[in-house]
């Protein structure tokens, strides 16, 4: 750790880079340490478009939240919320509906600590909260989210799991975990998600770069696991998919929020390597 780095919150592992802090660096944040920046700098050398891809993922989150807020959803549960940066869920939602509510959940101490600081500065106690927890334990997360008093379980909720499921191993029962959350949500709720995939990618010169990025992440504390379109689609079982269905990030309602990154990727949406979708619970 360099002398410029702040003291790490309790429980922060600085022996290996961490995905939440690396992502923060990609987006231009400062909630990262030397080991994360070194990882990020090497990733940019390996795959120069990685910052653009990261921004496209963040912009999809914003578009999804804005779409939901415009369509009457005023409370959100954001799992794997990461380090706060431009376009946080409560900020996007509140811009549409000043009474919007949000509970953030992450298992990375840095993400939780920075979220707490942000909410202390600009949050509203009865409308915003942050929890440290593992999204793989729906019963625990759901109970503690409701205990905050922020969410009303009798009204539709926007469940958000964006940019995090690919950190769950291939042997993890991801579909079952998501179905458990969906079973807890009231009718009229929505599920917004995204996932890394190799499906649909062209055979192109950057294939080796993508492989090296995967190997780089697999040496970190947060290895990546790609899933197929079919696997990702299965996460929405029982839901009514919102048009345009399961697509690549740049293809999902680009009109909601103008994005330079999304426009840059518009001519070859599959390049981003991320699928996304929004489903409604009947």
């Amino acid at each position: 750790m360099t002398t410029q780095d702040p003291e790490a919150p309790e429980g922060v592992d600085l022996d290996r880079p961490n995905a939440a802090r690396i992502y923060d660096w990609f987006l231009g944040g400062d909630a990262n340490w030397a080991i994360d920046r070194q990882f990020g700098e090497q990733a940019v050398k390996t795959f120069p478009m990685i910052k653009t891809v990261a921004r496209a993922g963040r912009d999809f989150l914003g578009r999804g939240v804005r779409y939901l807020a415009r369509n009457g959803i005023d409370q959100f549960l954001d799992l794997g919320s990461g380090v706060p940066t431009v376009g946080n869920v409560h900020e996007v939602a509140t811009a549409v509906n000043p009474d919007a509510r949000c509970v953030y959940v992450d298992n990375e101490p840095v993400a939780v600590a920075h979220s707490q600081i942000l909410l202390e500065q600009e949050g509203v106690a009865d409308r915003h909260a942050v929890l440290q927890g593992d999204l793989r334990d729906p019963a625990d997360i759901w109970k503690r989210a409701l205990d905050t008093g922020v969410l009303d379980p009798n009204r539709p909720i926007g469940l958000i799991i964006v940019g995090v499921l690919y950190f769950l191993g291939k042997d993890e029962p991801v579909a079952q975990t998501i179905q458990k959350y969906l079973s807890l949500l009231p009718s009229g709720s929505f599920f917004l998600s995204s996932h890394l995939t190799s499906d649909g990618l062209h055979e192109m010169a950057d294939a080796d770069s993508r492989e090296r990025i995967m190997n780089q992440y697999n040496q970190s504390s947060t290895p990546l696991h790609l899933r197929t379109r079919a696997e990702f689609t299965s996460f929405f079982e029982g839901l009514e998919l919102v048009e345009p269905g399961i697509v690549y990030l740049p293809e999902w309602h680009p009109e909601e929020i103008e994005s330079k990154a999304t426009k840059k990727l518009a001519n070859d949406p599959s390049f981003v390597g991320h699928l996304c979708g929004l489903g409604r619970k009947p």
Side-chain angles (χ1 to χ4, degrees), residues 114 180 203 223 229:
H114 280 264
K180 178 60 177 177
E203 291 294 330
R229 177 184 287 268

Side-chain angles (χ1 to χ4, degrees), residues 182-248:
L182 297 181
S183 73
L184 297 168
L185 294 175
S187 177
S189 293
F190 286 82
F191 171 50
L192 181 75
S193 190
S194 64
H195 205 294
L196 275 171
T197 187
S198 59
D199 278 14
L201 295 182
H202 302 311
E203 291 294 330
M204 48 186 152
D206 70 353
D208 181 59
S209 296
R210 292 176 188 265
E211 181 72 21
R212 282 186 285 146
I213 286 292
M214 286 288 296
N215 290 336
Q216 191 176 338
Y217 265 97
N218 290 342
Q219 299 304 312
S220 75
S221 63
T222 43
L224 296 173
H225 302 277
L226 277 61
R227 290 182 171 87
T228 65
R229 177 184 287 268
E231 287 174 309
F232 180 61
T233 301
S234 73
F235 298 164
F236 294 82
E237 185 177 351
L239 302 182
E240 300 167 348
L241 280 172
V242 173
E243 291 295 334
I246 304 299
V247 294
Y248 296 104

Side-chain angles (χ1 to χ4, degrees), residues 31-274:
N32 49 76
W33 274 258
I35 195 166
D36 308 306
R37 295 190 290 274
Q38 291 164 5
F39 182 104
E41 289 164 359
Q42 182 58 48
V44 170
K45 289 179 182 177
T46 301
F47 186 47
M49 284 287 285
I50 197 167
K51 284 189 175 183
T52 299
V53 170
R55 172 52 61 186
R58 186 69 180 180
D59 291 342
F60 161 70
L61 170 65
R63 297 198 305 275
V65 172
R66 186 173 186 275
Y67 179 96
L68 289 173
R70 287 198 307 100
N71 284 277
I73 299 299
D74 63 359
Q75 51 179 356
F76 299 85
L77 177 59
D78 185 2
L79 306 183
S81 52
V83 176
T85 185
V86 175
N88 297 296
V89 170
H90 76 279
E91 295 170 331
V92 176
T94 300
V96 178
N97 180 350
D99 296 323
R101 298 163 171 264
C102 182
V103 174
Y104 293 103
V105 181
D106 205 281
N107 65 352
E108 162 59 44
V110 170
V112 174
H114 280 264
S115 296
Q116 289 172 332
I117 292 170
L118 176 70
L119 294 182
E120 287 170 3
Q121 292 174 341
E122 60 177 58
V124 179
D126 64 348
R127 291 197 288 111
H128 306 125
V130 57
L131 305 172
Q132 183 169 358
D134 191 330
L135 66 82
R136 293 172 294 186
D137 190 348
D140 174 68
I141 295 299
W142 184 252
K143 178 182 183 303
R144 292 198 292 132
L146 295 186
D147 285 347
T148 66
V150 170
L151 303 178
D152 179 353
N154 298 309
R155 296 193 302 109
I157 293 171
L159 173 65
I160 299 169
I161 314 181
V162 168
V164 66
L165 291 174
Y166 42 76
F167 294 116
L168 302 184
K170 63 180 181 179
D171 296 325
E172 299 264 12
V174 179
Q176 293 93 315
T177 297
I178 291 172
Q179 286 301 313
K180 178 60 177 177
Y181 280 110
L182 297 181
S183 73
L184 297 168
L185 294 175
S187 177
S189 293
F190 286 82
F191 171 50
L192 181 75
S193 190
S194 64
H195 205 294
L196 275 171
T197 187
S198 59
D199 278 14
L201 295 182
H202 302 311
E203 291 294 330
M204 48 186 152
D206 70 353
D208 181 59
S209 296
R210 292 176 188 265
E211 181 72 21
R212 282 186 285 146
I213 286 292
M214 286 288 296
N215 290 336
Q216 191 176 338
Y217 265 97
N218 290 342
Q219 299 304 312
S220 75
S221 63
T222 43
L224 296 173
H225 302 277
L226 277 61
R227 290 182 171 87
T228 65
R229 177 184 287 268
E231 287 174 309
F232 180 61
T233 301
S234 73
F235 298 164
F236 294 82
E237 185 177 351
L239 302 182
E240 300 167 348
L241 280 172
V242 173
E243 291 295 334
I246 304 299
V247 294
Y248 296 104
L249 294 179
E251 299 175 302
W252 200 90
H253 291 278
E255 76 284 353
E256 282 292 343
I257 297 177
E258 187 171 346
S259 162
K260 291 181 180 178
T262 296
K263 285 184 177 180
K264 192 172 184 178
L265 295 161
N267 290 333
D268 185 7
S270 69
F271 181 88
V272 75
H274 282 71

